[in-house]
Amino acid sequence: RRFGMDLLYPTTRYVDGLSTTTLKWKNPSTGLDEIIQNPLYPETSRSPSSVFLVGIVGVPWQDVATSESLIGSGLAYLTADQLKSLGRWSVILGDPSSGIQPTDPLMIERVVPRTGVNPILNAPLAPTTSTNPQENPINGHEYHAVADLQFACIFQLEVPRDCNLVAEDKGCDCKPSELLDWMNVPYNKPLCQPPGGGVAGTTQYFAKAYPGLRELQVLKEYGSNSVVTSICPKQTTGAADDPSFGYNPVIPAFIERVRGALR
């Protein structure tokens, strides 16, 4: 895109695939476009109003949660219509077609450190020099990224991972090779710092998510039948059947949306 090209399909491709009863298809035999029946919608048995899209996306849960969920226990997600009426789409997505970035700096896709304040919690982003992985309650702090993006949010692992023991596991973010760049500058990832603070080491205490802007664009365009949730859970400790634990809050968000459509 920086060179005037974008090799990705437009997001309308996916929205149309979920919401229109017919699709344009290029016949490989003739090379001609044809109109075919969308297999999601057999001619008589299903309508677009009965298809819902749930996204578990790289976005702070605080940005898409009800105001009551910001403190205490429990987590309830805003509906797509509430995201629109409360102006949250401008917070988490901006307007990519017009080059307008999200007003939450945590949702800006950037390699270099970002600055600003999360508008929901009024929480300033923390600098790359921080040794407190919870200085900013959403993403800890910015870090010295070279071939990576800054994080939208992080969340504490239930069990820390010793990356020295899984050196070949590319999913471990705190391997010795991940601590310093080629100029011997510390990355200082918040993922690799103890929850109480300290120097980043080879034990991974937190997991991360990147800004999920493209996914959010599809969810926004899909409209009222979208359900937007965060891949960064509010609660990662305690009983697995607790309604607030992990991704459990996604289920009632989906059920409430379907229930509303069936009334």
Side-chain angles (χ1 to χ4, degrees), residues 209-224:
Y210 301 110
L213 299 183
R214 187 165 167 83
E215 294 84 357
L216 288 170
Q217 180 70 31
V218 172
L219 289 160
K220 179 185 178 183
E221 292 176 0
Y222 194 58
S224 297

Side-chain angles (χ1 to χ4, degrees), residues 7-31:
L7 301 181
L8 299 175
Y9 286 116
T11 52
T12 52
R13 171 187 177 91
Y14 310 105
V15 176
D16 290 346
L18 290 167
S19 60
T20 59
T21 56
T22 59
L23 299 170
K24 183 183 290 186
W25 175 74
K26 187 179 289 294
N27 188 320
S29 300
T30 64

Side-chain angles (χ1 to χ4, degrees), residues 3-208:
F3 297 106
M5 296 176 62
D6 189 350
L7 301 181
L8 299 175
Y9 286 116
T11 52
T12 52
R13 171 187 177 91
Y14 310 105
V15 176
D16 290 346
L18 290 167
S19 60
T20 59
T21 56
T22 59
L23 299 170
K24 183 183 290 186
W25 175 74
K26 187 179 289 294
N27 188 320
S29 300
T30 64
L32 300 177
D33 289 335
E34 298 180 5
I35 301 300
I36 62 171
Q37 188 73 26
N38 187 338
L40 274 178
Y41 300 112
E43 294 184 6
T44 58
S45 62
R46 184 182 295 134
S47 71
S49 63
S50 63
V51 174
F52 299 84
L53 178 63
V54 179
I56 305 177
V57 188
V59 61
W61 64 261
Q62 295 89 339
D63 287 359
V64 292
T66 62
S67 58
E68 296 81 8
S69 299
L70 295 178
I71 57 175
S73 61
L75 174 58
Y77 286 109
L78 297 167
T79 66
D81 290 341
Q82 289 171 326
L83 291 172
K84 181 178 180 180
S85 64
L86 293 173
R88 293 297 177 88
W89 286 116
S90 64
V91 173
I92 62 178
L93 179 63
D95 185 357
S97 63
S98 300
I100 299 174
Q101 293 183 322
T103 59
D104 182 359
L106 292 168
M107 290 302 293
I108 295 175
E109 293 178 316
R110 186 171 292 172
V111 175
V112 298
R114 304 158 299 186
T115 58
V117 176
N118 171 267
I120 306 303
L121 299 186
N122 197 30
L125 272 64
T128 59
T129 54
S130 175
T131 56
N132 179 3
Q134 301 184 80
E135 182 170 344
N136 177 281
I138 300 176
N139 86 325
H141 57 75
E142 304 294 277
Y143 77 105
H144 179 64
V146 175
D148 204 2
L149 292 174
Q150 301 291 339
F151 307 138
C153 52
I154 66 173
F155 56 97
Q156 190 170 342
L157 296 173
E158 188 173 19
V159 179
R161 304 175 68 196
D162 184 348
C163 292
N164 281 316
L165 300 179
V166 286
E168 300 304 318
D169 181 0
K170 294 183 180 180
C172 205
D173 285 287
C174 304
K175 299 188 295 292
S177 60
E178 297 287 341
L179 298 182
L180 299 168
D181 72 2
W182 63 281
M183 295 181 65
N184 214 37
V185 175
Y187 289 119
N188 197 35
K189 292 181 179 180
L191 312 178
C192 311
Q193 295 169 331
V199 176
T202 56
T203 298
Q204 182 174 347
Y205 298 92
F206 296 85
K208 88 285 188 179

